[in-house]
Amino acid sequence: MKIASGSTVQESLRMAQINLNELDRVEPPAYTVLSEGSLVKVVRMTEEYYLEQEVIPFEHQELHNEGLPEGDRRLSQPGVNGLQETTFQRVFEDGQEISNTIVKTTVLQPAVPEVVMIGSRSSFPSVGIPGKIAYLSAGNAWIIEDTTANRRLVVSSGDLDGRIFSLSPDGKYLLFSRFSQAENSINELWIASLEGEPPRMIDLGVYDVIHFAVFNPASNTIGYSTVEWRETAPGWQANNDLVELPIGPDNLPGSVYNVLDSSSGGIYGWWGTEYMWSPDGGRFLYSRPDGFGIYDVEENTHTSIWNITPYQTGGNWAWVPGAAWSPDGNIIYGVDYQNQTSTMLAGTDRFDLVAIPLNGGSPVRLGKNVGMFAYPVPSPLQMVKNFLETTSGTTLEQVSFSIAFLEAIFPEHSDTSWYRLAVIDRDGSNHKILFPKEGALGLDPQRVVWSPDPLSADGDFAIAFIHDGNVWLVSTGSGLVQQVTGDGLTSNIDWR
């Protein structure tokens, strides 16, 4: 068939009644103007998709268990192979295969690791404790109850990420986050019901929780805040939202209630806001890089109680001041940041421990230059005996509390310094260093936890903390220090 000179390739194909499929291509391109003697080549392209399934071998994990005799090996969890399905695309050019590529891979059934417990019973003496201590070791959750020698493995998946790890106030649930297998997701929120054996694992259907997820002190309701996954550092963009999720009597999650919608979260809000329930469960203390304040759920009001000029970290992280409620809900204890000069010179930054009364009165500085990671943690209410100076020698019992916090060993470089564990009375008096001894290595930054009740008949409360990857306890009265674990793999701890 003769085509008039000056026609395009597309016009020529139409005149020749040659139809192209979606994938076909022509040489030269369809917009090319033809001259006499030009040749047009049609390349027929086709594609097909096919599936292949592949077994995912289970991994073998060995966990040290200090509840078993040294060298004893026990199978804790049988391994189960998983199954994955891969979708391929094959492309053909004039009947000849030119490519075979993977389009999608889907895990139909995740592999379950084989877990073998290896006995490593330590020689640390047993100590009686009130309540339960939960600790996270090598991605698994353990519970210590009644005595430090009585411990059991409650979550053995090996994938807990340590972002969220806390016990419910009644000790019936362990709330934790685990790495997510979903694409573009950071983690998942779960609870373990500790009353059954084995503990029941419940998926809450909540994703991407970094800074806050804790049970309400007054009910079985979880408050949490979310982020959105990002490919760039730090790996997320905070939503600065606040959500409540009730847990029903059947241990299943109920309907969510959005307390606060997503927001910018103030200066450096991309990092995220930290929250803390009030002791009565009716308010939230919020802490963010530019200060802290209170949100009243019932009144739907925000009250800023302390403003801070955000600390310039110079990196892809933001400093959020540690803050906490007093056990009676009347005082906020927090860390204040002050830059002493107009230049950012080493040693010019100061971080003070402050107490902010909520019922009137001026804020009080309880400790100067304690370090940016001081993390004040008030104790439960305590009965304190005061001896009146009278001829009768009267003894008066009063309710009080103490404040545990960390002090930087090198306060001028508190971002990289080790810390000491200190305790003071609620008014800042009776300052005492509990750990470590003078000259010994200090603690990494962390929020320590108080015992829910006195450790002994003397009424002395204890503080649990992590040192060198192990759980330690210290009596605030006698100062006696006790190491509890010895595997060196502990990263999180809670005590209820």
Side-chain angles (χ1 to χ4, degrees):
M1 181 178 181
K2 188 174 182 180
I3 305 298
S5 179
S7 300
T8 64
V9 171
Q10 184 175 4
E11 291 170 341
S12 301
L13 293 174
R14 184 172 63 251
M15 293 175 63
Q17 296 183 343
I18 298 175
N19 297 320
L20 298 179
N21 295 322
E22 183 179 352
L23 298 178
D24 291 342
R25 60 184 177 86
V26 292
E27 298 174 357
Y31 56 80
T32 304
V33 177
L34 299 175
S35 59
E36 185 176 352
S38 297
L39 294 177
V40 176
K41 181 180 180 180
V42 176
V43 181
R44 294 295 185 181
M45 307 289 293
T46 57
E47 64 179 358
E48 66 177 29
Y49 293 87
Y50 67 97
L51 304 176
E52 286 187 0
Q53 291 187 347
E54 180 183 6
V55 172
I56 306 174
F58 64 81
E59 296 180 352
H60 175 80
Q61 297 181 0
E62 293 185 352
L63 302 179
H64 293 282
N65 186 341
E66 294 181 303
L68 298 177
E70 182 76 30
D72 194 0
R73 298 174 65 90
R74 298 184 187 179
L75 180 64
S76 172
Q77 176 176 282
V80 179
N81 288 330
L83 185 64
Q84 121 179 333
E85 184 177 76
T86 303
T87 303
F88 291 87
Q89 179 197 45
R90 299 174 69 185
V91 179
F92 298 86
E93 182 178 287
D94 289 337
Q96 299 295 317
E97 182 179 318
I98 61 171
S99 68
N100 189 355
T101 58
I102 295 175
V103 176
K104 181 177 65 174
T105 300
T106 304
V107 177
L108 302 178
Q109 178 181 329
V112 178
E114 178 186 68
V115 180
V116 176
M117 295 294 172
I118 301 177
S120 58
R121 181 172 292 165
S122 62
S123 59
F124 308 127
S126 175
V127 176
I129 63 166
K132 297 174 182 174
I133 294 177
Y135 67 97
L136 175 58
S137 176
N140 300 289
W142 295 78
I143 293 291
I144 300 174
E145 194 168 7
D146 298 329
T147 74
T148 54
N150 181 22
R151 62 193 70 177
R152 61 189 175 111
L153 181 66
V154 294
V155 184
S156 60
S157 57
D159 60 355
L160 276 65
D161 68 354
R163 297 285 189 183
I164 304 299
F165 189 81
S166 66
L167 287 163
S168 61
D170 57 11
K172 293 181 179 180
Y173 298 101
L174 176 64
L175 175 65
F176 60 92
S177 56
R178 60 199 305 185
F179 291 106
S180 176
Q181 298 297 322
E183 186 177 2
N184 297 342
S185 180
I186 300 171
N187 59 10
E188 305 169 357
L189 203 58
W190 289 64
I191 58 173
S193 177
L194 304 178
E195 298 205 296
E197 191 59 46
R200 181 183 176 188
M201 303 297 153
I202 299 110
D203 183 358
L204 298 180
V206 176
Y207 297 87
D208 302 330
V209 178
I210 298 294
H211 298 293
F212 170 71
V214 178
F215 273 93
N216 186 319
S219 68
N220 279 339
T221 296
I222 297 169
Y224 66 89
S225 183
T226 64
V227 302
E228 293 182 6
W229 176 89
R230 290 289 186 273
E231 187 174 352
T232 56
W236 68 81
Q237 166 74 45
N239 290 323
N240 299 294
D241 57 346
L242 188 56
V243 183
E244 292 186 7
L245 176 64
I247 304 299
D250 54 1
N251 295 333
L252 296 179
S255 300
V256 299
Y257 169 66
N258 291 320
V259 180
L260 292 175
D261 294 330
S262 298
S263 68
S264 61
I267 303 175
Y268 297 151
W270 50 266
W271 177 261
T273 303
E274 297 182 2
Y275 298 93
M276 180 178 290
W277 292 96
S278 62
D280 62 5
R283 295 171 293 170
F284 286 96
L285 170 66
Y286 65 84
S287 180
R288 60 191 199 184
D290 57 0
F292 36 90
I294 294 174
Y295 175 71
D296 190 305
V297 178
E298 184 175 341
E299 300 294 333
N300 190 24
T301 58
H302 293 80
T303 304
S304 176
I305 61 174
W306 197 264
N307 295 319
I308 296 174
T309 300
Y311 175 74
Q312 306 288 331
T313 68
N316 54 17
W317 63 282
W319 175 72
V320 177
W325 296 90
S326 64
D328 57 12
N330 294 327
I331 304 173
I332 299 298
Y333 292 89
V335 178
D336 178 39
Y337 163 62
Q338 293 183 340
N339 183 251
Q340 302 293 292
T341 69
S342 59
T343 59
M344 300 296 290
L345 299 176
T348 63
D349 296 318
R350 199 179 86 183
F351 300 87
D352 294 346
L353 181 64
V354 296
I356 307 168
L358 300 180
N359 297 327
S362 301
V364 179
R365 294 188 181 273
L366 303 180
K368 293 183 178 180
N369 218 14
V370 293
M372 65 192 308
F373 300 123
Y375 295 132
V377 183
S379 73
L381 291 173
Q382 308 170 3
M383 296 301 298
V384 178
K385 294 182 178 180
N386 291 328
F387 293 92
L388 300 180
E389 295 180 2
T390 64
T391 55
S392 60
T394 305
T395 300
L396 177 66
E397 289 190 342
Q398 293 180 324
V399 176
S400 186
F401 57 89
S402 302
I403 314 298
F405 65 99
L406 302 184
E407 283 185 337
I409 296 177
F410 304 104
E412 66 277 9
H413 300 289
S414 66
D415 57 335
T416 58
S417 175
W418 280 319
Y419 283 74
R420 304 183 186 93
L421 173 58
V423 66
I424 56 175
D425 289 346
R426 62 181 179 179
D427 59 359
S429 61
N430 294 326
H431 177 275
K432 180 166 54 175
I433 299 293
L434 297 177
F435 188 89
K437 294 181 179 179
E438 187 68 31
L441 296 180
L443 303 174
D444 289 325
Q446 61 186 283
R447 284 183 173 86
V448 301
V449 290
W450 286 84
S451 61
D453 296 298
L455 195 63
S456 65
D458 296 332
D460 293 337
F461 280 71
I463 297 173
F465 58 93
I466 298 171
H467 176 55
D468 201 21
N470 294 304
V471 179
W472 292 65
L473 306 180
V474 58
S475 169
T476 56
S478 65
L480 180 65
V481 178
Q482 172 69 53
Q483 185 174 347
V484 176
T485 66
D487 59 14
L489 301 174
T490 301
S491 59
N492 297 69
I493 188 171
D494 198 16
W495 196 349
R496 298 284 185 175

